């Protein structure tokens, strides 16, 4: 991709004169290979993978920000929607949320997203139970972020999910 001189100068002006920063750098990480029939085991495997893969994320982002002279406000990880990982697993999904949150703390990121449910096409029994766990998971963690995908252009809006949330 080629950039024009005007685009480059505009970027320089924003960073130097308007003190532009980069809001967030996000590492996307699939935890599908961590899923087991036990939420406790899934949590242990997920925690290990996050800590292994993201061990140098914060230091690398900070180093690059220092090299180019732009402040990077937040470092974040986004993982596979947790409701997918809990499908068919025994245990409390909040425990998986806590394990993910602990891993985020261990690697030093500001946020970890993915305590999420995909209910735009309706609820399974697991997703219904998972939705009930979101308030406790968010209240008992510090970095964990959650979401509920209740609509898509193709599927429309799941109004039962909207009412539930």
């Amino acid at each position: 991709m080629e950039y024009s001189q005007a685009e480059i100068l505009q970027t320089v002006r924003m960073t130097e004169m308007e003190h532009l920063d980069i809001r967030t750098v996000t590492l996307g990480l699939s935890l599908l290979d961590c899923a087991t029939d036990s939420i406790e085991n899934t949590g242990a495997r997920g925690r290990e993978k996050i800590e292994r893969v993201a061990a140098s994320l914060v230091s690398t982002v900070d180093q690059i920000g220092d090299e180019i002279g732009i402040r990077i406000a937040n470092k974040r990880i986004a993982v596979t929607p947790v409701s997918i990982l809990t499908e068919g697993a025994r245990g409390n999904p909040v425990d998986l949320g806590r394990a993910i949150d602990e891993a985020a703390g261990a690697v030093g990121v500001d946020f970890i997203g993915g305590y999420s449910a995909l209910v735009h096409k309706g609820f399974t029994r697991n997703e219904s139970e998972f939705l009930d766990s979101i308030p406790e998971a968010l209240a008992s963690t510090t970095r964990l972020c959650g979401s509920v995908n209740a609509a898509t252009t193709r599927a429309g809006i799941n109004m039962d999910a909207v009412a539930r949330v």
Side-chain angles (χ1 to χ4, degrees), residues 7-25:
E7 290 172 318
I8 294 168
L9 290 174
Q10 180 182 24
T11 302
V12 169
R13 189 183 99 262
M14 286 189 296
T15 59
E16 290 186 4
M17 298 169 80
E18 297 177 25
H19 306 292
L20 171 79
D21 66 5
I22 296 174
R23 276 290 97 193
T24 304
V25 170

Side-chain angles (χ1 to χ4, degrees), residues 100-123:
I100 290 169
D101 185 70
E102 290 167 10
V107 299
V109 295
D110 301 298
F111 306 104
I112 189 158
Y115 200 82
S116 306
L118 308 176
V119 294
H120 54 281
K121 291 185 179 180
F123 298 96

